[in-house]
Amino acid sequence: MQALIMVAHGSRVRASNDEVRLLTAALAARVADRYQHTATAFLELADPSIGAAIDAAVAAGAREVVILPYFLAAGAHVARDIPAIVQERQVAHPTITIRLADYLGKLPGLVELLASSV
Amino acid sequence: MQALIMVAHGSRVRASNDEVRLLTAALAARVADRYQHTATAFLELADPSIGAAIDAAVAAGAREVVILPYFLAAGAHVARDIPAIVQERQVAHPTITIRLADYLGKLPGLVELLASSV
């Protein structure tokens, strides 16, 4: 079973976190044929944490967990913090494959999306 | 002449700001048939400011300026700060049309872009 976890920074503003959760729900419906378990996780300021979301996916039976960082730029969170958490949970779950996908700001299709919006 | 200004939050990390500038450059090439002037602006922590970028576009001859917020969620920056700046510059340039486009996190194609990345 394959799981997808969308990871956002997290905000003190509840509505911002809920906005990410709604986006994850739309994404979950779109990729349901490939991902049987989908969740939102937050680096800080909101729950669940990334580690807890990975553990929950594994407990639900995931054999592969894909982490999708919902971030705009390759700052310290994308370059260091999220990979460190992924590596730590990979060590804790050696029989599971945890894969870190490209963050939003790096996706090649982003330019086309922005261009079509203006 | 139509101008496009991509507005990001701005970061203390120079590389993050440069990443947005590179994205704007790619976007500029993609929309060059419709936008003859394209710029990156930052809400804080980096230059140019949104107001300065609007003024520069008008000085360059823009008759319509489109503001594209490179933001993930509708927090205070998207809901209040950026509209306030746009409104202030609209008052300062009454013969120019300044249009605030949807922010990245609200674009309908975002789900498809994320789905195709995982």
Side-chain angles (χ1 to χ4, degrees), chain B residues 13-37:
Chain B
V13 181
R14 180 190 291 256
S16 291
N17 299 327
D18 287 344
E19 192 173 341
V20 179
R21 293 187 179 102
L22 276 175
L23 182 62
T24 301
L27 179 60
R30 176 62 185 71
V31 300
D33 55 330
R34 292 182 287 133
Y35 296 93
Q36 291 76 45
H37 177 100

Side-chain angles (χ1 to χ4, degrees), chain B residues 14 17 21-22 27 38 50 54 58-59 64 75-76 79 90 115 118:
Chain B
R14 180 190 291 256
N17 299 327
R21 293 187 179 102
L22 276 175
L27 179 60
T38 312
I50 304 172
I54 292 173
V58 172
E64 182 179 1
Q90 180 65 79
V118 292

Side-chain angles (χ1 to χ4, degrees), chain B:
Chain B
M1 191 263 269
Q2 199 172 21
L4 175 63
I5 299 175
M6 184 138 96
V7 172
H9 184 279
S11 169
R12 288 185 184 82
V13 181
R14 180 190 291 256
S16 291
N17 299 327
D18 287 344
E19 192 173 341
V20 179
R21 293 187 179 102
L22 276 175
L23 182 62
T24 301
L27 179 60
R30 176 62 185 71
V31 300
D33 55 330
R34 292 182 287 133
Y35 296 93
Q36 291 76 45
H37 177 100
T38 312
T40 310
F42 298 94
L43 185 64
E44 53 190 52
L45 302 173
D47 288 320
S49 69
I50 304 172
I54 292 173
D55 292 352
V58 172
R63 306 299 303 166
E64 182 179 1
V65 179
V66 176
I67 308 292
L68 173 56
Y70 189 57
F71 282 73
L72 293 174
H77 294 322
V78 166
R80 191 188 59 201
D81 301 340
I82 295 174
I85 296 167
V86 166
Q87 187 171 7
E88 189 225 24
R89 297 329 291 160
Q90 180 65 79
V91 170
H93 302 291
T95 63
I96 308 297
T97 301
I98 307 179
R99 180 166 65 81
L100 185 55
D102 282 339
Y103 63 98
L104 170 60
K106 196 183 173 183
L107 301 182
L110 181 56
V111 169
E112 191 57 39
L113 174 65
L114 294 170
S116 67
S117 78
V118 292

